[in-house]
Amino acid sequence: MNMSEFSVHDGLSLSELVRTRQVTPLELLEAAIARIERHNPGLNAVVYTAFDEARESAKAPLPDGPLSGVPFLIKDLGQRVKGWPRTSASFFAEVAADAEDSELVRRYRSAGLVLAGKTNTPEFGIPGVTQSARLGICRNPWNPDHVSGGSSGGAAAAVASGMVPIAHASDGLGSIRIPAACCGLVGMKPTRDRNPNGGEDTDRAIGLSVDHVVSRTVRDSAAMLDATGYPEPASPYAYPYKERPYLEEVSRSPGKLKIFWSGVTPSGRPVDPEIQSALERTATLLAQLGHDVREQAITLDWRQFYRAQAIVSGSNFAAGMARMVEAIGREPAGDIGPLARRGYDRGREITGQQAMWAWQQLRVMSRQVMATFEDCDVHLTPVLGTAVPRVDWLDPLAVEIREYDKRSAKTYPFTPPYNITGQPSLSLPLWQTPDGLPLAMMFSGRYGDEATLYRLAGQLEKECPWKDRKPPIWN
């Protein structure tokens, strides 16, 4: 199979070719390697390769999973792969080689995936762009002058450029949905505790961060969540209810949904006109599809909400850094970047009383957000408040840090609340800007209700077939 034939297919299609013996897993892997070697020098999406190990895996008998034989990439943050380094994009925190796979990685292998390497991420996954002193800038396949989003920007750039059809990603305050939006992909942030956290649960201690994938098709996202999202032994958290496989939901009618939509940002600053126009087009399309659509924002004291979130996130980051310091045997010096340094210093100043006050505040305010979903099935907003920004405009290493904060808040105003509440939230690449960059909408649902989002996504994928759109570098 050559590079162009490989990139036409999504993951399920490739796995079917393997299952019917039209192609071998090794042929798929070699096609993926060829595309990585061709496109990665200009994108910097893949930062570690294990091609020889992957070749041995592809030659050996693979589990008969839903994505058996499909090449796959792991984000270089959080998840452990036996024998592979894990840098977290940091000079300070690099692990030379992990001793064993994390639980989620074991489930990826059980699904039949062939692990070929790791993707770029910013230091500790902090910003909504993927660039760091350790791993460099990851660029957008649609236009390399623009960001790929973050913190799963490497995964998104790899999938959008056709290196692989699907890749691991994680989302702490938008880090699946933002890069999916920037790179024209499907990005589902699943319900909290839908996917396993594993015994090494400290990275997920506060529950904001979840793992899943970015993909080109809705069905690949659904199939992967079916493959990995099942109860985890010894987990202290209740597994969210699920009625049937999500892959079945994609082809089911969503029925007539009650959908609220809003372009109101937490700061009250309006989104860019082209974003507002696309939002209104989406609302019109949904009404034409028979849904009950009305404009209504979530009412909340957003200043208090984000104050509490900052305290919780800051204290959690400082606690995580303290564990690293203990393991490494020294404090970080000049080997962490400015965002990490600020987060660590501020986090250490937070008292236990302040951290618990913030937890209490977020719990109360999460109820207020969820109350909106007593009256609607889905809440629609844009993913970004602006068009996909240029790399030099949103650069955490070059732009003064307070100015970077302002620009970041303007660009990414919508994603964080659903990490706080734990609700599923999905980015879909419905539109494009006049200059050809992806323009995505975000659909958020009730706690545990990925099913409704997948049904709606399947309907919208037929109306706006984004899989046929390719970035200029595709061939």
Side-chain angles (χ1 to χ4, degrees):
M1 173 174 281
N2 62 38
M3 289 193 300
S4 59
E5 290 174 325
F6 169 78
S7 60
V8 166
H9 299 276
D10 69 355
L12 286 172
S13 178
L14 290 175
S15 187
E16 181 62 21
L17 293 176
V18 171
R19 191 167 290 108
T20 55
R21 300 182 184 279
Q22 298 178 60
V23 69
T24 67
L26 183 59
E27 288 173 321
L28 294 186
L29 176 63
E30 294 296 351
I33 290 171
R35 288 193 71 90
I36 291 170
E37 291 178 339
R38 177 171 182 172
H39 293 307
N40 200 56
L43 297 176
N44 192 31
V46 179
V47 294
Y48 173 79
T49 59
F51 293 158
D52 288 342
E53 178 183 329
R55 287 183 175 108
E56 293 304 311
S57 297
K59 292 175 187 176
L62 291 166
D64 186 21
L67 292 155
S68 188
V70 176
F72 191 69
L73 298 167
I74 301 290
K75 181 179 176 180
D76 190 16
L77 182 71
Q79 295 300 324
R80 294 157 172 78
V81 183
K82 184 177 180 180
W84 290 14
R86 176 166 42 90
T87 73
S88 305
S90 173
F91 291 110
F92 173 69
E94 182 170 1
V95 175
D98 277 313
E100 60 182 4
D101 289 345
S102 64
E103 174 61 24
L104 184 60
V105 170
R106 286 193 285 269
R107 294 186 184 191
Y108 287 144
R109 294 193 195 274
S110 295
L113 292 161
V114 176
L115 276 57
K118 284 194 166 186
T119 58
N120 204 343
T121 186
E123 188 173 31
F124 302 121
I126 295 172
V129 295
T130 297
Q131 50 199 99
S132 66
R134 175 68 177 79
L135 298 179
I137 298 170
C138 179
R139 297 181 180 274
N140 194 317
W142 293 88
N143 185 329
D145 291 332
H146 292 255
V147 304
S148 61
S151 60
S152 305
V159 173
S161 62
M163 296 179 191
V164 292
I166 187 168
H168 164 250
S170 58
D171 192 312
L173 290 173
S175 294
I176 288 175
R177 291 158 291 162
I178 287 169
C182 290
C183 294
L185 303 174
V186 176
M188 169 71 86
K189 183 204 82 68
T191 301
R192 182 180 299 156
D193 301 316
R194 175 74 68 194
N195 269 328
N197 295 321
E200 295 294 326
D201 207 7
T202 56
D203 288 343
R204 303 293 184 266
I206 60 175
L208 270 63
S209 186
V210 298
D211 292 87
H212 190 35
V213 295
V214 288
S215 62
R216 294 203 301 274
T217 64
V218 175
R219 70 177 195 158
D220 271 4
S221 176
M224 183 62 83
L225 197 54
D226 285 332
T228 60
Y230 54 87
E232 178 186 7
S235 172
Y237 312 108
Y239 178 73
Y241 174 74
K242 174 183 176 183
E243 184 175 1
R244 65 178 65 86
Y246 293 128
L247 188 56
E248 292 182 17
E249 302 289 7
V250 174
S251 59
R252 292 171 67 93
S253 169
K256 183 176 182 177
L257 299 176
K258 191 171 183 180
I259 302 174
F260 290 172
W261 67 274
S262 174
V264 175
T265 65
S267 68
R269 181 190 299 114
V271 297
D272 284 2
E274 65 182 346
I275 306 297
Q276 182 66 28
S277 176
L279 174 62
E280 292 171 5
R281 287 201 308 276
T282 306
T284 299
L285 173 60
L286 291 167
Q288 291 170 346
L289 291 171
H291 300 294
D292 178 3
V293 182
R294 64 188 66 181
E295 185 175 5
Q296 183 168 324
I298 293 175
T299 302
L300 200 68
D301 183 344
W302 291 109
R303 184 181 296 275
Q304 188 83 308
F305 183 86
Y306 281 108
R307 178 188 173 210
Q309 176 267 312
I311 293 172
V312 168
S313 295
S315 56
N316 181 68
F317 182 69
M321 287 292 291
R323 289 178 183 272
M324 293 181 207
V325 167
E326 182 179 2
I328 294 169
R330 66 172 179 86
E331 289 282 341
D335 47 1
I336 60 174
L339 293 180
R341 170 53 66 188
R342 181 182 64 174
Y344 185 35
D345 291 346
R346 288 186 176 179
R348 287 188 292 180
E349 295 173 356
I350 296 169
T351 67
Q353 179 180 336
Q354 290 171 324
M356 290 310 301
W357 171 88
W359 263 119
Q360 294 165 358
Q361 194 67 29
L362 289 182
R363 185 172 178 86
V364 169
M365 300 186 88
S366 290
R367 288 177 175 269
Q368 295 173 337
V369 174
M370 289 179 166
T372 299
F373 291 82
E374 296 177 9
D375 298 321
C376 74
D377 300 300
V378 175
H379 196 264
L380 162 67
T381 67
V383 182
L384 275 60
T386 69
V388 180
R390 289 178 58 89
V391 169
D392 56 359
W393 186 80
L394 199 60
D395 183 347
L397 300 180
V399 176
E400 190 275 327
I401 198 164
R402 290 186 180 180
E403 178 61 24
Y404 174 82
D405 289 342
K406 291 178 183 177
R407 295 180 184 184
S408 185
K410 179 181 179 182
T411 307
Y412 308 130
F414 295 109
T415 56
Y418 300 106
N419 296 87
I420 308 297
T421 65
Q423 295 168 256
S425 187
L426 171 66
S427 175
L428 294 178
L430 300 183
W431 315 108
Q432 287 184 296
T433 63
D435 56 357
L437 289 169
L439 199 166
M441 294 291 120
M442 188 170 80
F443 302 83
S444 303
R446 295 187 182 97
Y447 191 93
D449 191 16
E450 289 94 333
T452 293
L453 297 182
Y454 276 130
R455 289 195 292 266
L456 179 59
Q459 183 182 54
L460 289 170
E461 191 174 32
K462 293 177 182 177
E463 296 294 321
C464 305
W466 55 78
K467 185 175 180 289
D468 297 333
R469 303 178 199 148
K470 302 292 191 299
I473 70 164
W474 185 263
N475 292 323

